Amino acid sequence: MNRRDFIVNGCAACLAATAVSGLLSSCSTTRYASGALGKDGLTVSMEEFKIKKKDRTDYRPFIIVRNESLQYPIYVYRFGETEYSALWMRCTHQGTELQASGDQLQCSAHGSEFSNKGKVTNGPADKDLRSFPVTVNNNELFIDLRQA
Ligand code: FES
């Protein structure tokens, strides 16, 4: 391979790698929603979960609801059309905001991990996450913030 071939092939490999990483990052983009805060809780459109493709609709496994009135975001996981969990993204160890990674939540402070139902799967945290009841109503989710 001469120098010119090396540069041309090298650039093609770079472009391919860039395209693949772009595809991967677009697949894993986290969806943030603000939700409408009422007296008893938050309302979020179920449309936030939809990924519309040319010939079908896919669904995000989870979204993160942030609202300026909330101290921490809420991770909302979709198990199915009518089954969701809503979890307070505050680590039960020492209160660090959690990171969502697919169907797990992780704490960057000391490594605690939680499932998409809020159960501790890795310490040092020893308490499950605070969770909120979710009800489905007319294409909207209502996250009831009155109960712990
Ligand atoms: S604050 Fe989350 S593991 Fe310590």
Side-chain angles (χ1 to χ4, degrees), residues 83-116:
E83 194 187 350
Y84 296 82
S85 63
L87 306 171
W88 193 231
M89 293 178 73
R90 178 188 190 277
C91 183
T92 55
H93 180 228
Q94 290 180 358
T96 299
E97 184 173 315
L98 298 171
Q99 307 292 314
S101 173
D103 58 4
Q104 287 190 71
L105 294 150
Q106 296 164 336
C107 183
S108 58
H110 314 105
S112 289
E113 294 179 346
F114 303 86
S115 74
N116 54 12

Side-chain angles (χ1 to χ4, degrees), residues 52-70:
K52 293 197 171 102
K53 301 267 172 86
K54 214 188 293 177
D55 54 345
R56 65 179 200 277
T57 300
D58 289 342
Y59 292 88
R60 295 179 173 83
F62 71 91
I63 62 170
I64 294 178
V65 180
R66 288 187 182 277
N67 187 292
E68 59 189 22
S69 304
L70 298 175

Side-chain angles (χ1 to χ4, degrees), residues 20-66:
V20 169
S21 71
L23 279 175
L24 289 175
S25 67
S26 69
C27 290
S28 61
T29 304
T30 300
R31 176 74 164 203
Y32 293 93
S34 57
L37 190 63
K39 186 168 69 73
D40 297 333
L42 269 170
T43 303
V44 181
S45 170
M46 289 166 72
E47 295 293 315
E48 300 286 357
F49 286 89
K50 287 187 179 171
I51 305 170
K52 293 197 171 102
K53 301 267 172 86
K54 214 188 293 177
D55 54 345
R56 65 179 200 277
T57 300
D58 289 342
Y59 292 88
R60 295 179 173 83
F62 71 91
I63 62 170
I64 294 178
V65 180
R66 288 187 182 277

